[in-house]
C-alpha cells in the first residue's frame, strides 16, 4: 500500500489537537483589562476587559468612568484587577484571581473601613 506523507498543514492541525490555526491564535492572544476611578466621587468608576491592547482597555475604563478627573488606577493582562476605598484612602492591585486582587487592594487601601469598590477579570486569566 502506498501511503502519502502528511502535509505540513495537517501536521500543524494534529499538533493542536484538531484545532484550526485561527482557534489556536485566538486562544494564545493576550487579554488586557483596566479600572479607572474618579478622584472626587466614590461612585464614579469604570472598567474595560478582554481588549487586545492595554491602551484600548484603559480608554474603555476612562469612558465608563465618565468624569474629567477619572484616572486609570490599575491595568492587567490575563488577570484580575480590583480597587478598594473608604472615601479618603484608595488601594488597587492586580493578581491571577479575583480573591487575590481584592485582598491586595484592601491591603493597599489600609486597615479599617475600606471596601472593594470594583473588580474585573479578563476571560483569560
Amino acid at each position: 500500500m502506498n501511503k502519502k506523507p502528511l502535509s505540513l498543514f495537517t501536521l500543524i492541525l494534529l499538533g493542536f489537537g484538531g484545532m484550526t490555526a485561527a482557534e489556536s491564535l485566538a486562544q494564545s492572544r493576550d487579554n488586557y483589562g483596566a479600572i479607572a476611578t474618579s478622584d472626587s466621587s466614590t461612585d464614579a468608576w469604570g472598567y474595560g476587559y478582554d481588549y487586545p491592547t492595554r491602551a484600548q482597555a484603559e480608554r474603555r475604563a476612562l469612558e465608563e468612568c465618565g468624569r474629567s478627573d477619572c484616572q486609570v488606577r490599575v491595568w492587567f493582562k490575563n488577570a484580575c484587577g480590583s480597587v478598594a476605598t473608604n472615601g479618603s484612602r484608595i488601594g488597587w492591585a492586580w493578581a491571577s484571581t479575583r480573591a487575590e486582587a481584592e485582598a491586595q487592594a484592601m491591603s493597599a487601601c489600609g486597615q479599617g473601613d475600606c471596601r472593594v469598590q470594583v473588580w474585573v477579570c479578563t476571560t483569560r486569566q
Side-chain angles (χ1 to χ4, degrees):
M1 177 155 70
N2 186 5
K3 290 188 178 182
K4 260 184 156 174
L6 295 175
S7 71
L8 179 59
F9 181 73
T10 302
L11 289 173
I12 290 171
L13 284 179
L14 290 173
F16 288 117
M19 276 191 268
T20 67
E23 288 171 328
S24 175
L25 182 61
Q27 286 186 357
S28 66
R29 185 186 83 205
D30 289 327
N31 291 326
Y32 290 84
I35 300 173
T37 65
S38 167
D39 282 333
S40 62
S41 174
T42 58
D43 63 349
W45 50 265
Y47 58 81
Y49 65 97
D50 287 346
Y51 284 89
T53 68
R54 174 183 172 181
Q56 288 174 311
E58 289 181 346
R59 186 171 30 253
R60 179 61 179 184
L62 289 168
E63 288 171 2
E64 289 285 321
C65 188
R67 297 178 62 109
S68 62
D69 67 342
C70 289
Q71 55 183 296
V72 173
R73 302 296 180 173
V74 62
W75 69 272
F76 42 93
K77 178 175 75 171
N78 303 328
C80 299
S82 181
V83 174
T85 186
N86 71 352
S88 61
R89 290 189 314 265
I90 188 168
W92 56 87
W94 68 270
S96 60
T97 67
R98 173 186 173 182
E100 290 173 28
E102 287 181 339
Q104 290 177 27
M106 290 287 290
S107 178
C109 182
Q111 303 300 321
D113 57 350
C114 289
R115 303 178 106 188
V116 171
Q117 180 181 30
V118 59
W119 66 270
V120 67
C121 296
T122 60
T123 302
R124 261 192 101 202
Q125 44 180 7

